[in-house]
Amino acid sequence: MTWREYASPRRTRPPQVRGALARPRLSALLHGDERIVMLSAPAGYGKTTALAAHLPDLGRSCWYTLDADDADPHAFAAGLVLSAARLSGIEDAETLLDAGAAPYVVVRRLVDILLSQDVLLVLDEAQHLPAELSRELLAGPRLALLSRTALKLPDLEVFEARSEVRRLGSAELSFDVQETQALLRAHAVSVDLAAARLAHSVTEGWPIAARFLAQALSGRRLQLGALRNLEAEPPQLSALFAYLAQEVLGPLEPTLREFLTRSSVFEALTPELLQSVLGETHAETYLEALARSGTFLIREGTAFRAHPLLRAHLRAALPREHARELALRGAAYFEGAGQPRPALQAHLQAGNTARAGELLVLHGARWLGQGRVSMVERSLERVGEEVMTAQSALFALLGDVRRLQSRYDEALQAYERAPEAARVTGQARIYLDTVQPARAEALLEQAARLQGADAPELRVLRAENALNAGQLEAAVEWWPEIAQGARFALRSGNLERALMLARRGVRGEVGGQRAAQNHREALLLESLVCALTGELTQAEESAQSGIVEGERLESPFVQSLAYARFGHARLARGDDVTARTSYERALSLAQDTVPRLMAEPLMGLAFLDPQGVHAAQALTISEGSGDCYMSALVRLTFALGLQETRHPNAIKELERARRDFQDCGDVFGQACADLALYAAGQGDAHRALRAVQAYPFLLSKPSLFTPARTRAGRAALLSRLAREAPEIPAYLRLLARDLGYADVTLEHPGVEVRVQLLGRLGVQRGGEEVRDWGRAKARDLLALLVVYPEGVSREAAQEALYPDLEPEVGERNFRIVLHALGTVLEPGGGSAYFLERGEWLRLRASPDLTVDLWEAWQALKARPGSAQRAEALLALPGRLAGVALADVEAEAERYAARLPEALVEEASLALSQGELELATRLAERSITVEGAHEPAARVLMRAHYARGHLGGVARAYQHCREALRALDLAPMPETEALYQALRG
């Protein structure tokens, strides 16, 4: 038998993948820098599909699918050689096989061939890989190993220690919720995120199960709601269950299959449970064997767990009475072991709903506190109406479930059927969760009559309600510990403490199993405080994390509030468009949840709406709920928006906001109103100074309630405050430095100016282009001052602008032009903040004046390889604006000569560091600026050659030669020599 008869050409062809779902997350993992990629997962996880779909992006490759015959090293070596039949040099390996060489000799030669041509070798079903040949493969080429079980190969640890190995398993290959949603939509199944989560929880991201489910839903053979309770009724997924029977259960020994079937009654499997309930003395051995085999039995701590769909399939095969008997035994075992949650599931499995109801009454509140909302909800559904009516405390538990799901109307209905004390307390909690203190108060009074006013739990609830109403002293009287919380610190104006407590809370919240905390979410408190204090990047990140956390918790309340908080961060940053979009998204979520939630996004929109429609809506909601703190925030935000547009009603609204903050005890809100009133010209200077001293970020940073949105505007306000004091306080000098100034500027125009001389001549003042220059010569004078950053004498400037006029006439004209330029740079033209006048003229350098040519020369003079230099050079225009002054024209020539040189410096450095794409861009830009720049052409030729683009080499040379010919020049000898060398 020759070696060619060992191998099957069919197994050397990768599978054809059609319609594969795009998975950027998995793609990024497959495209890592590691030389060896190992994909290990049970059947149906899409190992083969995943790699085959990305194969075109991984360079040249050879594919070989192993089977049991490859345990023979001779068969394996023959198959490998056949898989590489298209590679040059493979004849050497074929000759070795023909001569009967040892398999390791053949494999070594094949490895050399793969290495020399940088070919990826893919071995599918690699669990059949003969261990004695694995060492040769691991040490050699790029390698992808696909297997159903984790591989244990000689020397693998050595390569892992060198960071040459990337392992991908079930977790990485599983679909996440978004991928599950995309898969369903690809099958024309329209689902929202909640439905996608349900599909994902049932399939646990198992790709084959998700695909069968998508097909069943698409064909309308199944409704998604049927998947809510697998314990009660297995779904009609015949194709999936046929796959399970063939691929998973088929290869199992009958003893293991029977053991797995009987144990399917229970979710978490332990040897002790199965010994007690099944009487199986070999339970531990069987569990370990099933976990090792690649069947869907995984270890979780000291227990094992099967995939829920596999359990549903197996359980359906058990006779009903036998399954019930096993469930009753299990329930007794779990109760005896003090494990109420598995006991509950076992009682439900056995149909013992009365005892299940008792366990829910005893433990349901604790489980909800742990975030097991869906589990409690499903259990209540299975208990049924009759048991819930007999045990009415279960309706209180159902109300808690609906409240935690933000389904408040349904929660109220459920509480109505609960015992009176539970009804009243439950309904009060709804209004605590949604910050409606006016509605909660009457219910809490009623609860006090039923339970006693000093009931500890009730005092805590009354304290929170007082806090929600803005009654800080009453809150502390009810429960002193409330003063230690983040929300109390926020509402009392202690932002530093609020931020510290919120960040402490975040560490215990994110990612953990828990119920949503609505407005109490630490992430969202952190985001709000950061927006108030000007830490805008953190405010955005916390809000975005809050959106993700809200999706994870399936809480539209948290998501809506997170979008509102993201809007605050963007509003503080001056991005009104994104802020409006975020507020509108928050509103759309709030409208379907609870009207009170609409107040905060409406507050943000009130800033952008000087007509007051949104402010009126927000105030109607907040005042109706009894939350005076929220009403004060709305008034302040609306007033600041009015002040931004210089609306005459701004003062009245600011004064009203200040009174509201004073009523609810928030000193921060009062400080914001004091500073804004002073900025509007109506406030008390001493109050404004105290506000800035207590909350310096109101001037030092862009923040949500700053009275000036630009740095220049805040600097102008700082100048006004400094003039109010007989001696400039030290904290104002610190503020000036925080704003970027060396010291307080007593006269500040309140605007930023940007001067442009590259490409075109222009001035932007306060973000707006200046259109009226007064005199045309003002442009020329500005260009002259730009090319002389250190300044120029008045006489020289006059001579440059009016060389042919009599001195007296020139002086008169020059004085008019100088005044016109001052007016362009500074409204009113009188402060000389940007333009120094007198016998010496110059543009005054300051944080508020930027000049594009000055910035350009910083990049042009910087050391090659300096941070951001390459991108800065690429962004520079090729020439200065045309100005008919000799000094400006000379500067234009210097700039035009230096720019291509600097680009070539960076291109040469990038080329030497292997950054070929960057080197190409830089060299091409240099040639665009100066077509006959030979150093750039030489770098470009080298870059194209290094990338294997020989056509690019020829094009670069031809372009250079033609550009030189237009100048009656020829390429330099070194350019010719380089081209000939690269072409050869």
mmCIF file with all atom_site columns, all heavy atoms in Angstrom, residues 824-838:
data_model
loop_
_atom_site.group_PDB
_atom_site.id
_atom_site.type_symbol
_atom_site.label_atom_id
_atom_site.label_alt_id
_atom_site.label_comp_id
_atom_site.label_asym_id
_atom_site.label_entity_id
_atom_site.label_seq_id
_atom_site.pdbx_PDB_ins_code
_atom_site.Cartn_x
_atom_site.Cartn_y
_atom_site.Cartn_z
_atom_site.occupancy
_atom_site.B_iso_or_equiv
_atom_site.pdbx_formal_charge
_atom_site.auth_seq_id
_atom_site.auth_comp_id
_atom_site.auth_asym_id
_atom_site.auth_atom_id
_atom_site.pdbx_PDB_model_num
ATOM 1   N N   . VAL A 1 824 ? -10.917 93.582  14.271 1.00 0.00 ? 824 VAL A N   1
ATOM 2   C CA  . VAL A 1 824 ? -11.086 92.200  13.803 1.00 0.00 ? 824 VAL A CA  1
ATOM 3   C C   . VAL A 1 824 ? -10.749 91.217  14.916 1.00 0.00 ? 824 VAL A C   1
ATOM 4   O O   . VAL A 1 824 ? -11.471 90.238  15.168 1.00 0.00 ? 824 VAL A O   1
ATOM 5   C CB  . VAL A 1 824 ? -10.209 91.938  12.559 1.00 0.00 ? 824 VAL A CB  1
ATOM 6   C CG1 . VAL A 1 824 ? -10.107 90.443  12.276 1.00 0.00 ? 824 VAL A CG1 1
ATOM 7   C CG2 . VAL A 1 824 ? -10.755 92.683  11.361 1.00 0.00 ? 824 VAL A CG2 1
ATOM 8   N N   . LEU A 1 825 ? -9.639  91.482  15.611 1.00 0.00 ? 825 LEU A N   1
ATOM 9   C CA  . LEU A 1 825 ? -9.174  90.544  16.629 1.00 0.00 ? 825 LEU A CA  1
ATOM 10  C C   . LEU A 1 825 ? -9.963  90.641  17.930 1.00 0.00 ? 825 LEU A C   1
ATOM 11  O O   . LEU A 1 825 ? -10.164 89.640  18.614 1.00 0.00 ? 825 LEU A O   1
ATOM 12  C CB  . LEU A 1 825 ? -7.684  90.771  16.906 1.00 0.00 ? 825 LEU A CB  1
ATOM 13  C CG  . LEU A 1 825 ? -6.740  90.513  15.725 1.00 0.00 ? 825 LEU A CG  1
ATOM 14  C CD1 . LEU A 1 825 ? -5.318  90.884  16.106 1.00 0.00 ? 825 LEU A CD1 1
ATOM 15  C CD2 . LEU A 1 825 ? -6.808  89.046  15.307 1.00 0.00 ? 825 LEU A CD2 1
ATOM 16  N N   . GLU A 1 826 ? -10.391 91.856  18.298 1.00 0.00 ? 826 GLU A N   1
ATOM 17  C CA  . GLU A 1 826 ? -11.051 92.059  19.579 1.00 0.00 ? 826 GLU A CA  1
ATOM 18  C C   . GLU A 1 826 ? -12.284 92.936  19.380 1.00 0.00 ? 826 GLU A C   1
ATOM 19  O O   . GLU A 1 826 ? -12.158 94.050  18.880 1.00 0.00 ? 826 GLU A O   1
ATOM 20  C CB  . GLU A 1 826 ? -10.105 92.751  20.570 1.00 0.00 ? 826 GLU A CB  1
ATOM 21  C CG  . GLU A 1 826 ? -8.787  92.023  20.764 1.00 0.00 ? 826 GLU A CG  1
ATOM 22  C CD  . GLU A 1 826 ? -7.787  92.843  21.575 1.00 0.00 ? 826 GLU A CD  1
ATOM 23  O OE1 . GLU A 1 826 ? -8.242  93.545  22.500 1.00 0.00 ? 826 GLU A OE1 1
ATOM 24  O OE2 . GLU A 1 826 ? -6.596  92.786  21.264 1.00 0.00 ? 826 GLU A OE2 1
ATOM 25  N N   . PRO A 1 827 ? -13.457 92.442  19.765 1.00 0.00 ? 827 PRO A N   1
ATOM 26  C CA  . PRO A 1 827 ? -14.649 93.293  19.663 1.00 0.00 ? 827 PRO A CA  1
ATOM 27  C C   . PRO A 1 827 ? -14.429 94.590  20.444 1.00 0.00 ? 827 PRO A C   1
ATOM 28  O O   . PRO A 1 827 ? -14.023 94.577  21.600 1.00 0.00 ? 827 PRO A O   1
ATOM 29  C CB  . PRO A 1 827 ? -15.743 92.444  20.315 1.00 0.00 ? 827 PRO A CB  1
ATOM 30  C CG  . PRO A 1 827 ? -15.252 91.034  20.192 1.00 0.00 ? 827 PRO A CG  1
ATOM 31  C CD  . PRO A 1 827 ? -13.746 91.120  20.301 1.00 0.00 ? 827 PRO A CD  1
ATOM 32  N N   . GLY A 1 828 ? -14.648 95.715  19.827 1.00 0.00 ? 828 GLY A N   1
ATOM 33  C CA  . GLY A 1 828 ? -14.383 97.000  20.471 1.00 0.00 ? 828 GLY A CA  1
ATOM 34  C C   . GLY A 1 828 ? -12.982 97.490  20.212 1.00 0.00 ? 828 GLY A C   1
ATOM 35  O O   . GLY A 1 828 ? -12.716 98.689  20.177 1.00 0.00 ? 828 GLY A O   1
ATOM 36  N N   . GLY A 1 829 ? -12.026 96.568  20.039 1.00 0.00 ? 829 GLY A N   1
ATOM 37  C CA  . GLY A 1 829 ? -10.667 96.893  19.637 1.00 0.00 ? 829 GLY A CA  1
ATOM 38  C C   . GLY A 1 829 ? -9.870  97.694  20.637 1.00 0.00 ? 829 GLY A C   1
ATOM 39  O O   . GLY A 1 829 ? -8.877  98.311  20.265 1.00 0.00 ? 829 GLY A O   1
ATOM 40  N N   . GLY A 1 830 ? -10.287 97.695  21.939 1.00 0.00 ? 830 GLY A N   1
ATOM 41  C CA  . GLY A 1 830 ? -9.607  98.598  22.839 1.00 0.00 ? 830 GLY A CA  1
ATOM 42  C C   . GLY A 1 830 ? -8.702  97.982  23.876 1.00 0.00 ? 830 GLY A C   1
ATOM 43  O O   . GLY A 1 830 ? -7.916  98.690  24.500 1.00 0.00 ? 830 GLY A O   1
ATOM 44  N N   . SER A 1 831 ? -8.781  96.651  24.114 1.00 0.00 ? 831 SER A N   1
ATOM 45  C CA  . SER A 1 831 ? -8.055  96.090  25.254 1.00 0.00 ? 831 SER A CA  1
ATOM 46  C C   . SER A 1 831 ? -6.607  95.747  24.944 1.00 0.00 ? 831 SER A C   1
ATOM 47  O O   . SER A 1 831 ? -5.811  95.567  25.853 1.00 0.00 ? 831 SER A O   1
ATOM 48  C CB  . SER A 1 831 ? -8.768  94.824  25.744 1.00 0.00 ? 831 SER A CB  1
ATOM 49  O OG  . SER A 1 831 ? -8.540  93.754  24.848 1.00 0.00 ? 831 SER A OG  1
ATOM 50  N N   . ALA A 1 832 ? -6.249  95.660  23.689 1.00 0.00 ? 832 ALA A N   1
ATOM 51  C CA  . ALA A 1 832 ? -4.888  95.277  23.292 1.00 0.00 ? 832 ALA A CA  1
ATOM 52  C C   . ALA A 1 832 ? -4.499  93.924  23.867 1.00 0.00 ? 832 ALA A C   1
ATOM 53  O O   . ALA A 1 832 ? -3.328  93.668  24.132 1.00 0.00 ? 832 ALA A O   1
ATOM 54  C CB  . ALA A 1 832 ? -3.879  96.347  23.717 1.00 0.00 ? 832 ALA A CB  1
ATOM 55  N N   . TYR A 1 833 ? -5.504  93.050  24.071 1.00 0.00 ? 833 TYR A N   1
ATOM 56  C CA  . TYR A 1 833 ? -5.211  91.721  24.623 1.00 0.00 ? 833 TYR A CA  1
ATOM 57  C C   . TYR A 1 833 ? -4.518  90.845  23.583 1.00 0.00 ? 833 TYR A C   1
ATOM 58  O O   . TYR A 1 833 ? -3.579  90.125  23.890 1.00 0.00 ? 833 TYR A O   1
ATOM 59  C CB  . TYR A 1 833 ? -6.511  91.064  25.104 1.00 0.00 ? 833 TYR A CB  1
ATOM 60  C CG  . TYR A 1 833 ? -6.310  89.697  25.717 1.00 0.00 ? 833 TYR A CG  1
ATOM 61  C CD1 . TYR A 1 833 ? -5.793  89.566  27.001 1.00 0.00 ? 833 TYR A CD1 1
ATOM 62  C CD2 . TYR A 1 833 ? -6.627  88.535  25.005 1.00 0.00 ? 833 TYR A CD2 1
ATOM 63  C CE1 . TYR A 1 833 ? -5.597  88.310  27.564 1.00 0.00 ? 833 TYR A CE1 1
ATOM 64  C CE2 . TYR A 1 833 ? -6.437  87.288  25.556 1.00 0.00 ? 833 TYR A CE2 1
ATOM 65  C CZ  . TYR A 1 833 ? -5.928  87.173  26.843 1.00 0.00 ? 833 TYR A CZ  1
ATOM 66  O OH  . TYR A 1 833 ? -5.720  85.938  27.404 1.00 0.00 ? 833 TYR A OH  1
ATOM 67  N N   . PHE A 1 834 ? -4.987  90.881  22.349 1.00 0.00 ? 834 PHE A N   1
ATOM 68  C CA  . PHE A 1 834 ? -4.395  90.064  21.290 1.00 0.00 ? 834 PHE A CA  1
ATOM 69  C C   . PHE A 1 834 ? -3.340  90.830  20.478 1.00 0.00 ? 834 PHE A C   1
ATOM 70  O O   . PHE A 1 834 ? -2.447  90.217  19.910 1.00 0.00 ? 834 PHE A O   1
ATOM 71  C CB  . PHE A 1 834 ? -5.481  89.566  20.325 1.00 0.00 ? 834 PHE A CB  1
ATOM 72  C CG  . PHE A 1 834 ? -6.431  88.583  20.948 1.00 0.00 ? 834 PHE A CG  1
ATOM 73  C CD1 . PHE A 1 834 ? -7.766  88.912  21.118 1.00 0.00 ? 834 PHE A CD1 1
ATOM 74  C CD2 . PHE A 1 834 ? -5.998  87.340  21.370 1.00 0.00 ? 834 PHE A CD2 1
ATOM 75  C CE1 . PHE A 1 834 ? -8.650  88.015  21.683 1.00 0.00 ? 834 PHE A CE1 1
ATOM 76  C CE2 . PHE A 1 834 ? -6.882  86.434  21.933 1.00 0.00 ? 834 PHE A CE2 1
ATOM 77  C CZ  . PHE A 1 834 ? -8.215  86.783  22.099 1.00 0.00 ? 834 PHE A CZ  1
ATOM 78  N N   . LEU A 1 835 ? -3.470  92.133  20.411 1.00 0.00 ? 835 LEU A N   1
ATOM 79  C CA  . LEU A 1 835 ? -2.615  92.928  19.531 1.00 0.00 ? 835 LEU A CA  1
ATOM 80  C C   . LEU A 1 835 ? -1.903  94.008  20.344 1.00 0.00 ? 835 LEU A C   1
ATOM 81  O O   . LEU A 1 835 ? -2.524  94.925  20.879 1.00 0.00 ? 835 LEU A O   1
ATOM 82  C CB  . LEU A 1 835 ? -3.455  93.578  18.419 1.00 0.00 ? 835 LEU A CB  1
ATOM 83  C CG  . LEU A 1 835 ? -2.717  94.459  17.420 1.00 0.00 ? 835 LEU A CG  1
ATOM 84  C CD1 . LEU A 1 835 ? -1.637  93.659  16.691 1.00 0.00 ? 835 LEU A CD1 1
ATOM 85  C CD2 . LEU A 1 835 ? -3.697  95.069  16.422 1.00 0.00 ? 835 LEU A CD2 1
ATOM 86  N N   . GLU A 1 836 ? -0.572  93.881  20.418 1.00 0.00 ? 836 GLU A N   1
ATOM 87  C CA  . GLU A 1 836 ? 0.230   94.901  21.097 1.00 0.00 ? 836 GLU A CA  1
ATOM 88  C C   . GLU A 1 836 ? 0.484   96.039  20.118 1.00 0.00 ? 836 GLU A C   1
ATOM 89  O O   . GLU A 1 836 ? 0.966   95.828  19.004 1.00 0.00 ? 836 GLU A O   1
ATOM 90  C CB  . GLU A 1 836 ? 1.548   94.287  21.575 1.00 0.00 ? 836 GLU A CB  1
ATOM 91  C CG  . GLU A 1 836 ? 2.454   95.286  22.271 1.00 0.00 ? 836 GLU A CG  1
ATOM 92  C CD  . GLU A 1 836 ? 3.764   94.659  22.719 1.00 0.00 ? 836 GLU A CD  1
ATOM 93  O OE1 . GLU A 1 836 ? 3.761   93.436  23.010 1.00 0.00 ? 836 GLU A OE1 1
ATOM 94  O OE2 . GLU A 1 836 ? 4.781   95.378  22.765 1.00 0.00 ? 836 GLU A OE2 1
ATOM 95  N N   . ARG A 1 837 ? 0.161   97.260  20.554 1.00 0.00 ? 837 ARG A N   1
ATOM 96  C CA  . ARG A 1 837 ? 0.306   98.428  19.689 1.00 0.00 ? 837 ARG A CA  1
ATOM 97  C C   . ARG A 1 837 ? 1.283   99.420  20.320 1.00 0.00 ? 837 ARG A C   1
ATOM 98  O O   . ARG A 1 837 ? 1.614   99.304  21.493 1.00 0.00 ? 837 ARG A O   1
ATOM 99  C CB  . ARG A 1 837 ? -1.045  99.089  19.471 1.00 0.00 ? 837 ARG A CB  1
ATOM 100 C CG  . ARG A 1 837 ? -2.069  98.118  18.900 1.00 0.00 ? 837 ARG A CG  1
ATOM 101 C CD  . ARG A 1 837 ? -3.448  98.725  18.788 1.00 0.00 ? 837 ARG A CD  1
ATOM 102 N NE  . ARG A 1 837 ? -4.474  97.823  19.287 1.00 0.00 ? 837 ARG A NE  1
ATOM 103 C CZ  . ARG A 1 837 ? -5.760  97.955  19.052 1.00 0.00 ? 837 ARG A CZ  1
ATOM 104 N NH1 . ARG A 1 837 ? -6.187  98.955  18.312 1.00 0.00 ? 837 ARG A NH1 1
ATOM 105 N NH2 . ARG A 1 837 ? -6.620  97.107  19.548 1.00 0.00 ? 837 ARG A NH2 1
ATOM 106 N N   . GLY A 1 838 ? 1.676   100.377 19.557 1.00 0.00 ? 838 GLY A N   1
ATOM 107 C CA  . GLY A 1 838 ? 2.679   101.339 19.995 1.00 0.00 ? 838 GLY A CA  1
ATOM 108 C C   . GLY A 1 838 ? 3.782   101.385 18.951 1.00 0.00 ? 838 GLY A C   1
ATOM 109 O O   . GLY A 1 838 ? 3.564   101.172 17.755 1.00 0.00 ? 838 GLY A O   1
#
